[in-house]
Amino acid sequence: SLGGLETRGSGRTLINSPPGEKLSRKIVVFTGPNTASAAEAFVSALKFHGTAIQIGQSTYGKCSTQTRIALSDGSVLQLTNGRVLGPEGVSCSPEGLEPDISVAGSRLYDTAYLVRKALTLLSTQDALPETRQEYTLQQVADEGRLTVRALRAWDRLPSGHVNLVLDLVEHDMDLLGANQDQVQAWADTARDSDDPNLARHARELESLAEYMKSSSWK
């Protein structure tokens, strides 16, 4: 099991990983007090199955999901509609996930330090290959696999669009998994939508689609 959700309407739903070969090497995940919700579920699943070492600080401890309802006066009502479940089928801890290796606050955002720490840990558990081919974002684009998630992984997603990923979750839009065509299609949908909470994102989606279409990733 990878985890799941428990809601009043749908009951408990657990998600299992698909069949096939799984990652056999350990990885390191960096966490802090802003690591929350789906990110916590991801880290929890990796640790439960012995795949990840957690470095940083305790996560937020957000064990619930919310939905937003637009009201006639333009305000928004946010309701808790379910609980996030860990791989063992129980709700996550409101105290958050405790790291295997704690990092002081002054070091939490020192990326170079965290990477050095991670490589040291990994080298003691699973020898790293002597050489690794660097896979560039341009190669991903050339292969037709450029998504918002890829931009985020290569740190090329404009900071103004990071919150857009979270805002669109309530509209069942997985922006991270979207390519340029999908982003443009959602921009068109938002522009013509009667839902003001979706329509207000039309310009941001247009801007992101244009960025993905016209930029060079070298």
Side-chain angles (χ1 to χ4, degrees):
S1 172
L2 298 176
L5 291 173
E6 184 174 39
T7 64
R8 181 172 297 178
S10 303
R12 174 174 297 198
T13 301
L14 293 177
I15 301 171
N16 295 312
S17 63
E21 185 177 355
K22 303 297 189 296
L23 179 69
S24 60
R25 308 177 78 177
K26 282 187 179 293
I27 64 173
V28 173
V29 290
F30 303 140
T31 66
N34 293 324
T35 305
S37 194
E40 289 180 291
F42 176 68
V43 175
S44 178
L46 291 176
K47 293 186 67 176
F48 180 81
H49 292 287
T51 303
I53 302 169
Q54 180 186 350
I55 297 179
Q57 296 180 7
S58 298
T59 60
Y60 187 87
K62 183 180 182 295
C63 300
S64 58
T65 62
Q66 285 75 37
T67 187
R68 296 179 182 179
I69 302 173
L71 302 180
S72 58
D73 63 356
S75 59
V76 175
L77 176 64
Q78 181 166 297
L79 300 173
T80 297
N81 62 354
R83 296 193 304 158
V84 177
L85 303 177
E88 67 278 18
V90 300
S91 181
C92 71
S93 169
E95 285 76 33
L97 298 168
E98 289 291 332
D100 301 301
I101 305 294
S102 295
V103 174
S106 60
R107 288 288 201 177
L108 184 59
Y109 300 103
D110 185 343
T111 304
Y113 169 81
L114 293 175
V115 169
R116 288 196 301 270
K117 191 81 169 176
L119 290 175
T120 300
L121 283 171
L122 288 175
S123 65
T124 62
Q125 300 199 18
D126 191 1
L128 295 173
E130 294 183 3
T131 60
R132 290 180 294 177
Q133 180 180 5
E134 183 179 0
Y135 206 71
T136 67
L137 187 57
Q138 185 61 53
Q139 286 176 284
V140 174
D142 291 342
E143 294 173 7
R145 299 189 293 114
L146 182 67
T147 62
V148 177
R149 178 177 285 107
L151 294 178
R152 182 69 169 142
W154 266 266
D155 199 24
R156 297 293 294 274
L157 181 65
S159 58
H161 292 94
V162 173
N163 288 334
L164 181 62
V165 172
L166 301 176
D167 290 339
L168 292 180
V169 170
E170 64 181 280
H171 300 287
D172 294 325
M173 294 179 175
D174 175 22
L175 187 59
L176 285 176
N179 59 19
Q180 187 266 329
D181 290 338
Q182 181 64 74
V183 173
Q184 183 60 59
W186 283 341
D188 296 338
T189 298
R191 187 176 57 251
D192 299 332
S193 177
D194 295 328
D195 182 350
N197 289 317
L198 178 57
R200 67 188 177 91
H201 295 304
R203 183 174 297 179
E204 295 174 279
L205 286 165
E206 286 274 8
S207 172
L208 179 57
E210 183 61 29
Y211 173 71
M212 296 177 73
K213 178 180 179 181
S214 61
S215 296
S216 173
W217 310 113
K218 294 181 181 179

